[in-house]
Amino acid sequence: YLFIFCFVHGKKINKDSVKNFIVSRYEGDTSTVSDLISENFIYNHPPSIGLGIDVVYMDGAFEILKYLREDSLNIFSIGDKIYEINNIKVSKNSELPKGPIDSIHKIILTKKNDSTFITMDVPLSEFSYKETKLSFLNSISLYSHKWYDFDVKFLDIFYQKNKAFVYYKWEGS
């Protein structure tokens, strides 16, 4: 991963602060992360391949919380519920489909405020998105519970004024 962020004005940038930021992020320590980033912080997610939606498991389905790619608006709505992916019922341990760009995945869902099941063939596509400070902190809280343990290997850290460029490898389980 390559991670770029701005420190709060007046904070001295050093390797320990940068490493503390990354480790605190994966530990779910939003207080430390918040103290280390500026109010105008923007996180640019690296490109991903997927459905382009953010979901939460609730009552036997994935409920769509937000869009991560613009063309998802043509397929999904916030509040839609996905019950099956590729003929497998969704469970709390399920994941959204992964695969190559344009691979087709069968989704069974209900639209928001409707109980009629709909079957759709949905292609995966490449997407990237940005998060503000508040959104980034919320995602840390949400996703830090998804792994029991993690390892971070720092490969390189570069500085430019009040910005740090961090190249690291992360592995979680």
Side-chain angles (χ1 to χ4, degrees), residues 51 53-65 76-77 79-85 88-97 107-118 146:
L51 296 175
I53 54 176
D54 192 10
V55 298
V56 64
Y57 179 78
M58 190 181 315
D59 301 324
F62 281 148
E63 184 171 340
I64 298 173
L65 299 176
F76 303 108
S77 298
D80 289 355
K81 294 183 179 177
I82 299 172
Y83 290 89
E84 286 187 20
I85 301 171
I88 298 171
K89 288 184 86 170
V90 170
S91 72
K92 68 179 180 178
N93 297 321
S94 295
E95 293 184 4
L96 292 174
I107 307 291
I108 297 178
L109 62 96
T110 58
K111 298 304 256 174
K112 182 179 180 176
N113 300 323
D114 192 348
S115 60
T116 306
F117 287 95
I118 300 168
K146 290 191 177 243

